[in-house]
């Protein structure tokens, strides 16, 4: 069941989203060669708690950390550990915040030092495809309008759009209806209505769209070992159109 949010409820989600936005900006400053992904997770936990929130991911389904740290070929759900980042890597940081009972969810892919032009372009196109999708988040439209726009933007540039993982509705729970694929057909799917809040999150691979899950039962990686990028925001459909709550 889809739970539409009132203006007041979206206002509460906006507050959660601002904490998350600033967390990701804070973590961006900490990303450098030599830092461990576990240290980034510690920074995130401390930041969220200091700002009155709770990490959405910590303990969710048994996940052992406050953020996901997905390096190079890892698409999503990478578990922070003692691995140290190296020059030229890219790292996806996915995080969620609960503030006063309301959730926000967002992700960014960051360069570690200087990265190749190929990786830079992958990150740029993934981010740009999110905004192409948001252009179609309009009252009276269909969910497939968003999905097709994201898919076309990426595939026309030679990238693979992950099929096995999708975005989602969000509110008091991190994952609510509807599922939000990054592929689809315009004019199909759920009708877009005011009060709908979605986590829209392109997951884009340099090669094949196919992915596999590692033995830790969390980390999802590209099937061909090529890099992947992830960009996500929590977005509400208001009387003024689509509002990005985590940017």
């Amino acid at each position: 069941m889809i739970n539409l949010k009132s203006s007041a409820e979206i206002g509460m989600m906006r507050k959660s989203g601002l904490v998350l936005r600033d967390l990701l900006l804070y973590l961006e400053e900490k990303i450098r060669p030599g830092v461990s992904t576990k240290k980034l997770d510690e920074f995130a936990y401390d930041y969220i708690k200091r700002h009155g929130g709770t990490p959405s991911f910590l303990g969710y389904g048994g996940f052992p950390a406050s953020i996901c740290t997905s390096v190079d070929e890892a698409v999503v759900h990478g578990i922070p550990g003692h691995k140290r980042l190296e020059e030229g890597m890219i790292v996806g940081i996915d995080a969620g915040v609960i503030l006063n009972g309301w959730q926000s969810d967002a992700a960014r892919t960051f360069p570690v030092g200087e990265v190749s032009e190929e990786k830079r372009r992958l990150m740029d196109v993934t981010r740009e495809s999110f905004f192409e999708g948001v252009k179609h988040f309009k009252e009276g439209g269909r969910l497939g309008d968003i999905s097709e726009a994201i898919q076309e933007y990426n595939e026309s540039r030679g990238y693979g759009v992950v099929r096995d993982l999708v975005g989602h509705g969000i509110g008091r729970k991190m994952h609510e209806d509807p599922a939000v694929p990054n592929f689809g057909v315009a004019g199909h799917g759920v009708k877009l209505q005011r009060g709908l809040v979605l986590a829209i999150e392109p997951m884009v691979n340099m090669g094949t769209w196919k992915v596999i899950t590692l033995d830790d039962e969390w980390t999802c990686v590209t099937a061909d070992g090529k890099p992947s990028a992830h960009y996500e925001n929590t977005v509400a459909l208001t009387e003024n159109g689509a509002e990005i709550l985590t940017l």
Side-chain angles (χ1 to χ4, degrees):
M1 185 178 76
I2 294 173
N3 296 310
L4 300 178
K5 279 71 179 179
S6 67
S7 294
E9 290 171 333
I10 290 173
M12 296 296 288
M13 294 188 72
R14 188 181 294 116
K15 292 177 181 178
S16 176
L18 290 176
V19 173
L20 181 50
R21 177 200 67 184
D22 291 345
L23 167 67
L24 291 168
L25 290 170
Y26 172 73
L27 291 177
E28 183 176 18
E29 297 175 352
K30 303 294 185 182
I31 292 171
R32 61 185 182 275
V35 70
S36 70
T37 53
K38 180 176 176 59
K39 190 64 177 178
L40 294 176
D41 183 63
E42 292 170 357
F43 286 140
Y45 178 84
D46 290 343
Y47 187 96
I48 293 169
K49 299 300 285 187
R50 281 191 285 111
H51 289 81
T54 300
S56 303
F57 295 0
L58 185 58
Y60 185 85
F63 191 75
S66 298
I67 59 173
C68 300
T69 54
S70 304
V71 178
D72 281 346
E73 73 278 8
V75 180
V76 288
H77 304 159
I79 300 173
H82 295 291
K83 177 183 178 68
R84 295 187 181 275
L85 299 178
E86 298 176 11
E87 184 88 14
M89 290 176 167
I90 58 175
V91 56
I93 304 290
D94 191 358
V97 169
I98 307 169
L99 188 68
N100 298 319
W102 291 95
Q103 302 262 357
S104 57
D105 189 5
R108 307 283 186 267
T109 300
F110 298 112
V112 182
E114 293 297 322
V115 301
S116 69
E117 182 57 34
E118 282 187 323
K119 287 183 176 180
R120 178 71 65 178
R121 183 172 180 270
L122 173 66
M123 291 188 296
D124 288 346
V125 170
T126 302
R127 182 184 66 251
E128 291 160 5
S129 74
F130 164 84
F131 291 100
E132 287 298 313
V134 169
K135 289 178 183 176
H136 298 270
F137 193 12
K138 300 176 180 179
E139 276 194 87
R142 295 283 179 175
L143 189 61
D145 302 348
I146 299 172
S147 302
E148 183 183 81
I150 292 172
Q151 180 179 13
E152 193 281 330
Y153 194 86
N154 287 294
E155 290 185 350
S156 66
R157 288 158 176 79
Y159 296 118
V161 176
V162 174
R163 304 301 201 262
D164 296 29
L165 302 150
V166 298
H168 50 92
I170 186 170
R172 287 196 175 275
K173 296 180 180 178
M174 181 161 56
H175 292 107
E176 297 184 354
D177 291 332
V180 185
N182 296 303
F183 59 95
V185 179
H188 291 255
V190 170
K191 188 174 182 180
L192 304 177
Q193 303 176 66
R194 187 183 305 181
L196 185 60
V197 185
L198 304 176
I200 301 173
E201 51 177 320
M203 290 160 274
V204 182
N205 300 343
M206 193 176 288
T208 179
W209 59 265
K210 296 179 180 179
V211 298
I212 57 176
T213 301
L214 299 184
D215 291 342
D216 64 15
E217 299 184 351
W218 282 104
T219 308
C220 178
V221 302
T222 58
D224 58 10
K226 293 184 178 180
S228 182
H230 184 200
Y231 188 88
E232 175 185 19
N233 283 297
T234 300
V235 190
L237 190 51
T238 73
E239 60 183 5
N240 298 315
E243 180 186 348
I244 301 172
L245 304 181
T246 48
L247 193 65

